[in-house]
Amino acid sequence: MLIEAGHYALALALALSLAQAVMPVWAARTGDPVLRGVAVPAALASFVCIAFAFGALTFAHVTSDFSVLNVFENSHALKPMVYKISGVWGNHEGSMLLWVLILALFGAIVALARDSVPATLRANTLGVQATITFVFLLFILTTSNPFARLNPAPVEGRDLNPILQDPGLAIHPPLLYLGYVGFSITFAFAIAALIEGRLDAVWARAVRPWTLLAWCFLTVGIAMGSYWAYYELGWGGWWFWDPVENASLMPWLAGTALIHSTIVMEKRDALKVWTVLLAILTFSLSLLGTFLVRSGVLTSVHTFATDPARGTFILAILVLFIGGSLTLFAWRAPSLRQGGLFAPISREGALVLNNLFLSAACATVLVGTLYPLVLESLTAEKISVGAPFFNLTFLPLVVPLLLAVPFGQTLAWKRGDLIAAAQRLLVGVAAGILAVLGLLAIRAGGPVAAPLGVGLGTYLVVGAVMEIVTRAKGGSLGLSLRRATGLPRSAWGTALAHAGVGLTVIGIAAQAWSVEALATVPRGGTLTAGPYTATLTGVVPRTGPNYTETVAQLAIRGSDGALEGRLEPGKRFYGTRNMAVSEASLLTLGLGQVYASVGESQPDGALGIRLYYKPLVLLIWLGAVVMALGGGLSLTDRRFRIGAPARSRSRAQAPAPTTPVAAE
C-alpha cells in the first residue's frame, strides 16, 4: 500500500507543479496577488509529495520488498544496509527520482526565501522551476516508473551492480545532482528576468549564491567521482576523459565562468546579457549531461543504466528547455543595455578574459565529447576521442587562464595598473620560479612539463596568499592582523578557492613522476615501484555478506628496508550478478600513495600484481575540497545573508534605475 501511495504522491506532485508553473507567471503579468500567492504553498506541497515518494521507495529498498521491480533489479537481501540505501539512486528510475527531489527542494527553499528577491521575480522564477519539475515528473511517470510491481514477488533480488557497492558511489551521485540541479535555479532566475525584462544588481545578487552553492556541490561531486574511479576501477588513473566525466566537467567550467560574470554584474552593472546567457548555458549543459547518461547513446563505467527507448523523451526535454530558452534569449536580449563601461586593464577586464578562456575550454570539451556521437549517427563510423585530443586543445587554454588568475585578484575595478599588479605578484612569481628550478635540479633528466606545472601551482597558491597579505598590510603587525580579520568573507573565500586550484594543479603535475610496476609475483616474491617494494606474503580467501573474495597480502617497505605498512588488494566475486571486480588497496604516505591491485592467479600460486607509487596525488582531491570550502566561505558573507535593499517611497515612484526591455 505504501508503494501505491508513493506512486500517487508523484502524480499529485505533477498536478501541483503544473499549477505552480502557470499561476504565478500569469499573476506576474496581471498583477493578481492571489494567484501569485499560489507559488509558495504549491512549491512546498510539491516537495512534500516528492519527498514522500522518495521515502516510500527507500523503505522498499531497506525492507527488501522484491515485489517492487526496482528493488528486485537493484537489491539483495544480504546486501549491507548502506548499499541498500544507496541502491535507491544506483539505477535509472531511482536516480531520476532523486534528481526531481533535489529540484523540488531547491524550489521550496526559494519559495521560503520571501525577502531575498522582489516578489515578481520570485513568482516568475518559481514558475520556471516548476515547469522543469513538471516535465521531469512526466518523464518519470510515463517512462521510468520506480514503483512498478511484480506479481508474484520473487524470493530474492538480482543485487546492485558490484562497482556501485562502494562508499564513494553512495555519496558521489547526490553531490553531483545537487550541483546539476542547483544550476536549475540560476536558469530559472535568468528566464524569469527575460520574462520580466529587468536585469540589475538585485538580480545578480539573487543568482550568485545559488551559483556558488551549485558550484561547490558540483566541485566536490566531481572530485568524489574521480577518487572513486581512481581506487575502485583498479587502473590507477583519476581522469580518463570519459564522456560522462566530460558531461560533469562542462557545466563546472560554465558555472565557474558564471560565478565570475555575476561578480562583474553585481559590482559594475556590466556583462548583463552575457551573464544571462551563461546561466542558460550552464543548466543546458547539465541537461545535456543527463541526456548522455540516461538516453543510452553511450556506455560508460559511470552510467547506472542505458535504455535507448527513453532517449526520445530526454531529447524532447533538451529541445524544450535549451531551444526554448535560447529562443527567448534571442528575442529579448537585443533590447537589453549592457551597462557599465570599464578599461581593458581592470578587474572587470581580467574577469572577461577568465570567461573567454573558460568558455573556449568548455567548447573544446563539448566538441570532443559530441563529435564521435554525431559522426556515428551520420556515417555509422565509430571513432574514439581520448586524452591526446584533450591534452592538445584543453591544456593550452587552461594554462594562460591560470597565469592570469592572480593578476585579476590584484587589479582595481574599472581601471587598473598592470605594472603595479605585477609588482604585488613578485613574491608569487619568485616562488613559482624557485619551485621549477629546485625540481629541475633534484629530478634532472625527468619530464620538463611536470616542474613547470608544479611551479604554476605554487604561483597560484602564493598569489592567493599575497592577495590577502596585500589587502591587510598596515603600519604594524597587529594592525595588519586586525585588517585581515576585518576583510569580507568573500575575499577570504576567493583566495581559498584560488589556492585550491593551485593545490590541484600541483597534484596533477606531480603524477608525471608516478612509477608503475606490473609483474606476476610468486609467494614471497617482490615488486618495486619507485622507492617502495611490495612483498607478497600470502593469498587468503574471505567471504563477505554477498560476495567471496581472494585477498593478496602485501608488505610495503621503503628504500631503507623499514616496514611502511601493509596492503590487501583483492578480487571479489558477486555470485548473484556473476560478476568479478577488482578492489585496489591504498597506503597513504604523506601526500603520496602506494597503490596496488591484483589480476588473475596462476596455477603455481603466483599472482598478477600492479603496483604504483603516486607522489602528491592526494593534492588533486584536497585541492578540490579547498575550492569548495572557499566557495562555502564566500556564501557566509553578509551580503548573501540579507535581501536586496528596499527602495524608498520617493524612488519607488520614480522610474526604476534598472535595464528594462523596450516596450513591445
Side-chain angles (χ1 to χ4, degrees):
M1 189 64 185
L2 182 63
I3 298 303
E4 283 68 29
H7 195 186
Y8 174 77
L10 281 185
L12 182 58
L14 181 74
L16 288 167
S17 61
L18 180 61
Q20 181 188 341
V22 174
M23 293 184 182
V25 177
W26 180 256
R29 303 286 293 181
T30 61
D32 189 334
V34 176
L35 285 181
R36 189 170 62 196
V38 170
V40 173
L44 296 177
S46 179
F47 167 68
V48 170
C49 289
I50 297 171
F52 177 83
F54 188 82
L57 184 62
T58 303
F59 182 79
H61 274 264
V62 169
T63 58
S64 298
D65 183 357
F66 297 122
S67 69
V68 180
L69 178 61
N70 184 268
V71 180
F72 166 70
E73 291 182 339
N74 300 283
S75 192
H76 191 280
L78 299 178
K79 190 171 64 173
M81 180 57 68
V82 63
Y83 301 135
K84 286 185 178 182
I85 296 174
S86 65
V88 176
W89 55 82
N91 58 86
H92 170 79
E93 295 82 4
S95 64
M96 293 310 300
L97 184 56
L98 175 64
W99 172 286
V100 175
L101 174 66
I102 297 173
L103 195 63
L105 171 62
F106 283 166
I109 295 174
V110 173
L112 291 173
R114 302 190 178 190
D115 299 327
S116 59
V117 292
T120 302
L121 176 61
R122 183 165 64 102
N124 284 329
T125 300
L126 287 173
V128 175
Q129 196 269 349
T131 304
I132 303 171
T133 305
F134 173 81
V135 172
F136 273 94
L137 281 173
L138 188 64
F139 171 71
I140 291 174
L141 289 169
T142 57
T143 71
S144 308
N145 180 16
F147 299 108
R149 288 281 198 178
L150 287 174
N151 188 18
V155 176
E156 189 53 89
R158 293 178 178 173
D159 208 355
L160 182 66
N161 187 335
I163 66 172
L164 303 182
Q165 295 188 39
D166 181 86
L169 258 292
I171 303 170
H172 164 58
L175 290 174
L176 206 61
Y177 283 7
L178 284 165
Y180 279 162
V181 180
F183 286 125
S184 71
I185 300 299
T186 64
F187 172 84
F189 271 113
I191 300 302
L194 291 175
I195 293 173
E196 186 182 357
R198 187 176 297 277
L199 278 173
D200 52 20
V202 174
W203 181 88
R205 180 178 294 184
V207 168
R208 193 176 168 203
W210 287 104
T211 307
L212 265 175
L213 183 66
W215 182 87
C216 290
F217 280 122
L218 189 58
T219 300
V220 178
I222 292 174
M224 186 72 256
S226 169
Y227 192 62
W228 166 81
Y230 166 70
Y231 72 78
E232 177 66 20
L233 300 183
W235 59 287
W238 58 275
W239 192 263
F240 192 62
W241 292 107
D242 179 279
V244 181
E245 291 174 329
N246 295 346
S248 62
L249 178 62
M250 288 185 288
W252 186 88
L253 292 169
T256 304
L258 178 59
I259 290 173
H260 294 87
S261 181
T262 55
I263 296 173
V264 178
M265 184 174 171
E266 182 184 354
K267 293 281 189 180
R268 299 292 306 148
D269 196 35
L271 301 184
K272 295 179 178 180
V273 175
W274 173 246
T275 303
V276 170
L277 179 61
L278 271 180
I280 292 172
L281 292 179
T282 301
F283 182 61
S284 298
L285 290 170
S286 297
L287 289 177
L288 179 63
T290 304
F291 172 73
L292 291 175
V293 178
R294 304 295 169 206
S295 65
V297 299
L298 56 85
T299 301
S300 163
V301 296
H302 298 78
T303 55
F304 295 156
T306 55
D307 185 356
R310 300 181 176 113
T312 302
F313 200 116
I314 300 180
L315 187 59
I317 294 176
L318 289 181
V319 173
L320 173 64
F321 288 114
I322 300 178
S325 61
L326 291 178
T327 300
L328 178 63
F329 175 81
W331 174 38
R332 302 288 260 176
S335 300
L336 298 175
R337 294 192 301 272
Q338 283 286 354
L341 300 177
F342 51 87
I345 305 300
S346 62
R347 183 167 294 193
E348 298 97 321
L351 292 173
V352 169
L353 185 68
N354 157 289
N355 270 226
L356 290 175
F357 277 114
L358 284 170
S359 300
C362 183
T364 296
V365 178
L366 179 66
V367 171
T369 303
L370 294 186
Y371 176 71
L373 302 176
V374 174
L375 183 66
E376 182 179 355
S377 65
L378 295 178
T379 66
E381 179 183 354
K382 292 186 177 183
I383 65 169
S384 176
V385 176
F389 168 82
F390 293 104
N391 291 339
L392 289 174
T393 57
F394 184 79
L395 293 182
L397 294 168
V398 171
V399 170
L401 167 65
L402 297 179
L403 287 171
V405 166
F407 278 96
Q409 294 175 256
T410 55
L411 288 171
W413 291 102
K414 195 171 183 179
R415 183 179 298 277
D417 188 336
L418 189 61
I419 296 177
Q423 290 174 341
R424 288 192 289 270
L425 286 175
L426 284 178
V427 175
V429 173
I433 293 174
L434 288 175
V436 173
L437 295 177
L439 287 170
L440 288 174
I442 295 172
R443 296 181 175 270
V448 177
L452 293 176
V454 173
L456 176 60
T458 304
Y459 159 75
L460 287 167
V461 173
V462 177
V465 173
M466 290 308 299
E467 168 64 10
I468 296 297
V469 171
T470 302
R471 295 184 63 173
K473 190 175 180 180
S476 65
L477 179 60
L479 178 60
S480 297
L481 291 176
R482 286 194 297 272
R483 293 182 64 179
T485 56
L487 289 175
R489 293 181 186 176
S490 60
W492 282 95
T494 299
L496 197 61
H498 289 170
V501 174
L503 293 176
T504 296
V505 169
I506 294 172
I508 294 172
Q511 298 321 294
W513 293 301
S514 293
V515 181
E516 177 187 1
L518 175 63
T520 301
V521 181
R523 301 281 182 96
T526 61
L527 185 63
T528 299
Y532 298 100
T533 299
T535 302
L536 180 60
T537 60
V539 179
V540 297
R542 290 180 183 170
T543 302
N546 58 338
Y547 62 84
T548 58
E549 183 177 21
T550 300
V551 176
Q553 297 177 327
L554 301 174
I556 307 299
R557 299 183 182 276
S559 55
D560 58 357
L563 181 66
E564 299 288 349
R566 299 184 183 275
L567 293 176
E568 292 190 342
K571 203 81 164 172
R572 290 183 180 178
F573 180 75
Y574 291 78
T576 304
R577 283 269 181 170
N578 194 28
M579 183 174 175
V581 295
S582 296
E583 291 292 325
S585 184
L586 309 175
L587 177 62
T588 299
L589 301 166
L591 293 173
Q593 287 185 329
V594 178
Y595 177 113
S597 62
V598 297
E600 300 298 328
S601 59
Q602 303 300 315
D604 60 358
L607 196 63
I609 298 177
R610 187 186 297 269
L611 189 70
Y612 296 91
Y613 169 57
K614 295 182 169 292
L616 302 181
V617 69
L618 290 180
L619 286 180
I620 296 174
W621 302 290
L622 288 176
V625 172
V626 171
M627 286 185 234
L629 288 175
L633 183 60
S634 294
L635 278 173
T636 66
D637 194 290
R638 181 176 178 272
R639 290 174 301 164
F640 296 148
R641 301 198 306 273
I642 59 176
R647 291 178 295 161
S648 66
R649 179 168 302 185
S650 60
R651 290 188 64 192
Q653 295 171 350
T658 56
T659 309
V661 174
E664 299 170 342

